Structure formats: structure tokens, C-alpha cells
């Protein structure tokens, strides 16, 4: 609640001001190109199963730098990329001309995708730029379009790094730039039928400067034995491991 109170002034920022900011931000983004943060996120996507036939919904694509990286792997699937900045989308569509990559100008908070059954929905450095009081609507919409197997990936600057910039280098902040606490994000996810399944504090340019999350549609627990999913080799290795544990870590009688 403290975060909501602290940044309640952001409600006064009009959508037109945000669009104008990102239209003017295109040149700076183009100078950055594929930076360390984007490549880090691309590698994380590969680790979480991005492959050639994946279906990706990218919310807040900007000028399409991340979209370009997705397209390097996703050759048989599709990428649907969305941003509210017309100038950003014009820039992206002029440079990424692939039949399985589609760009759309829209507000990601209530965007209704043309595709369905996405394997991944990404919000990379996006939600810190969306006013807090719109987050519930955003994740309610996402929950409505994701399937049981959809993986939702979120990346944001750590709250501490945003506060540091606010005090020491405010010129680096965007028109809306707010700290998002883990507890608040988890509350919004749960409130909209989603669940957090992975969290990591990451260091890209500075120690602990980013937070990375993975979420999915909430599902009730069901008892699925891992033993029944192992092949013969995996079963043999597990048996060897258990024998080794009992021999070298035997609890004293």
C-alpha cells in the first residue's frame, strides 16, 4: 500500500503524455541496440524453452529489439508484439519484415491479441512504466488470454535501483518509472488467478539491479510421481545417488 500511496501522483499523467514520450524515445532506443539486458533476457527465454515453433506475445515491445532476438529463434511459430507508441511500431516494422512477426499499436493494459494459446507472454521492463492502479486490469487481461501451459515472464528494475536513480540520477527515469515490490506483484498475480513460480534477483550492470519473475495460470496441486516419469537411465542414476547419500551422509544412530 505504501507504494500505491507514494506514487499516486502518476494517475495524473495522461496517456497522450506517455505516448509522446516513447515516440520521442525511439532514437535513444535505437542507439542502445541489443544491449546486455536484452541479451540476458533472450538467454533466459532460451533456458525456459523458447524454440522455433514457440508462440510469443510480447507486451511493450518498444522499437522491437527484443522482438528481433525472438525472431532469430522463432522461425516456425509466431511473435505478436505490442506497444502504445506509433513511432516505435513504425520503426520496428520497417526493420523486422518476417511473415510470422506481427506488430500492433495498442495499450498493453487491455490489449486483446489476435492469436491464442501462447507459449510465452513477456513483460520485459514494462510494468514499472504502467501506473500501479492499472496493474490489476493488466493482469486480469493477461489471465484471460493465457492458457494452462502459458509461461509469463516479467523483468523489472529492482525497487532499490529505481529509488537510487530517483535520488541520484533522475534524468535516467522515464515519464513513469516506479518501484514494484515483490509482495505487491505477487498479490496482483494471485488476485487474478495467476501464481509466481520463479523469482531471481539479477545483476546486469550493477549488483542486484534487476528482478526477474516467472508466473503462470494458477493450478490446483495434483500428486504426480516423478518416479513414474523417469526413464531407465534416470532411474538407475537416482538409485546410485540414493546409495551414495546413505553411505556418505548416514545419520548417526
Amino acid at each position: 500500500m505504501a507504494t500505491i500511496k507514494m506514487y499516486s501522483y502518476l494517475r495524473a499523467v495522461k496517456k497522450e503524455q506517455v505516448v509522446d514520450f516513447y515516440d520521442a524515445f525511439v532514437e535513444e532506443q535505437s542507439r542502445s541496440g541489443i544491449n546486455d539486458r536484452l541479451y540476458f533476457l533472450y538467454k533466459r527465454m532460451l533456458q525456459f524453452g523458447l524454440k522455433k515453433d514457440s508462440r510469443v506475445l510480447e507486451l511493450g515491445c518498444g522499437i522491437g529489439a527484443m522482438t528481433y532476438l525472438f525472431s532469430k529463434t522463432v522461425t516456425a511459430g509466431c511473435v505478436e508484439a505490442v506497444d502504445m507508441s506509433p513511432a516505435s511500431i513504425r520503426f520496428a516494422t520497417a526493420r523486422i519484415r518476417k511473415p510470422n512477426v506481427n506488430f500492433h499499436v495498442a495499450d498493453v493494459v487491455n490489449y486483446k491479441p489476435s492469436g491464442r494459446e501462447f507459449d510465452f507472454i513477456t513483460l520485459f521492463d514494462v510494468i514499472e512504466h504502467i501506473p500501479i492502479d492499472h496493474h490489476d486490469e493488466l493482469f486480469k487481461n493477461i489471465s484471460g488470454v493465457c492458457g494452462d501451459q502459458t509461461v509469463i515472464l516479467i523483468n523489472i528494475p529492482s525497487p532499490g535501483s529505481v529509488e537510487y536513480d530517483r535520488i541520484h540520477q533522475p534524468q535516467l527515469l522515464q515519464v513513469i518509472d516506479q518501484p514494484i515490490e515483490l509482495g505487491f506483484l505477487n498479490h496482483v498475480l494471485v488476485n487474478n488467478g495467476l501464481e509466481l513460480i520463479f523469482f531471481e534477483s539479477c545483476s546486469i550492470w550493477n549488483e542486484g539491479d534487476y528482478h526477474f519473475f516467472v508466473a503462470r495460470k494458477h493450478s490446483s496441486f495434483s500428486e504426480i510421481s516423478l518416479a513414474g516419469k523417469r526413464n531407465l537411465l534416470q532411474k538407475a542414476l537416482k538409485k546410485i545417488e540414493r546409495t551414495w547419500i546413505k553411505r556418505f551422509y548416514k545419520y548417526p544412530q
Side-chain angles (χ1 to χ4, degrees):
M1 294 301 292
T3 303
I4 295 174
K5 182 177 179 182
M6 183 183 299
Y7 295 100
S8 61
Y9 77 91
L10 292 173
R11 298 175 185 175
V13 178
K14 295 181 179 179
K15 185 182 292 187
E16 293 78 8
Q17 292 174 270
V18 178
V19 171
D20 289 345
F21 175 87
Y22 288 109
D23 280 351
F25 198 50
V26 169
E27 185 176 346
E28 183 170 338
Q29 284 187 295
S30 67
R31 285 198 299 268
S32 297
I34 307 300
N35 58 28
D36 292 354
R37 176 181 60 83
L38 294 174
Y39 190 66
F40 165 81
L41 291 170
Y42 176 57
K43 289 192 295 182
R44 295 304 259 146
M45 288 288 289
L46 294 173
Q47 291 168 357
F48 277 92
L50 184 73
K51 52 186 186 297
K52 66 178 183 179
D53 60 349
S54 293
R55 298 173 61 84
V56 181
L57 173 60
E58 182 187 6
L59 298 175
C61 66
I63 63 168
M66 195 77 225
T67 321
Y68 169 74
L69 291 177
F70 289 158
S71 72
K72 301 288 283 184
T73 295
V74 182
T75 55
C78 66
V79 180
E80 188 168 337
V82 187
D83 201 274
M84 70 189 309
S85 163
S88 297
I89 295 299
R90 285 195 299 270
F91 188 96
T93 53
R95 288 158 178 78
I96 305 173
R97 298 180 178 180
K98 297 187 177 183
N100 66 328
V101 177
N102 296 290
F103 291 97
H104 303 271
V105 178
D107 186 342
V108 301
V109 170
N110 47 37
Y111 177 70
K112 302 299 181 186
S114 57
R116 287 293 184 272
E117 299 180 3
F118 292 102
D119 299 301
F120 299 96
I121 297 176
T122 67
L123 290 151
F124 289 156
D125 295 79
V126 173
I127 65 172
E128 72 272 23
H129 306 309
I130 296 174
I132 287 287
D133 58 337
H134 291 169
H135 282 201
D136 194 65
E137 181 183 359
L138 168 67
F139 285 103
K140 180 180 180 180
N141 187 50
I142 290 173
S143 182
V145 301
C146 74
D148 293 339
Q149 302 304 314
T150 304
V151 178
I152 305 164
L153 301 105
I154 302 166
N155 192 67
I156 57 174
S158 65
S161 70
V162 176
E163 292 292 2
Y164 180 90
D165 286 347
R166 188 173 297 282
I167 295 169
H168 299 284
Q169 40 195 12
Q171 72 279 4
L172 298 182
L173 297 175
Q174 299 180 21
V175 61
I176 296 176
D177 228 328
Q178 64 212 332
I180 306 296
E181 301 287 349
L182 171 60
F184 172 77
L185 178 58
N186 186 59
H187 172 77
V188 175
L189 290 171
V190 171
N191 196 45
N192 289 286
L194 303 169
E195 60 182 351
L196 186 66
I197 60 171
F198 181 84
F199 165 74
E200 182 181 23
S201 176
C202 307
S203 302
I204 298 178
W205 287 297
N206 296 292
E207 191 167 325
D209 55 353
Y210 279 89
H211 283 176
F212 179 78
F213 307 84
V214 181
R216 67 181 178 192
K217 199 98 167 180
H218 174 72
S219 60
S220 299
F221 177 81
S222 59
E223 194 173 81
I224 302 173
S225 172
L226 293 179
K229 299 176 72 173
R230 296 187 183 112
N231 59 36
L232 290 176
L233 176 59
Q234 291 169 332
K235 288 178 179 178
L237 291 174
K238 175 57 69 174
K239 186 175 182 179
I240 293 171
E241 180 185 47
R242 285 172 178 158
T243 302
W244 184 82
I245 291 171
K246 288 180 179 180
R247 179 176 180 182
F248 291 99
Y249 292 95
K250 184 178 180 180
Y251 190 77
Q253 300 297 312

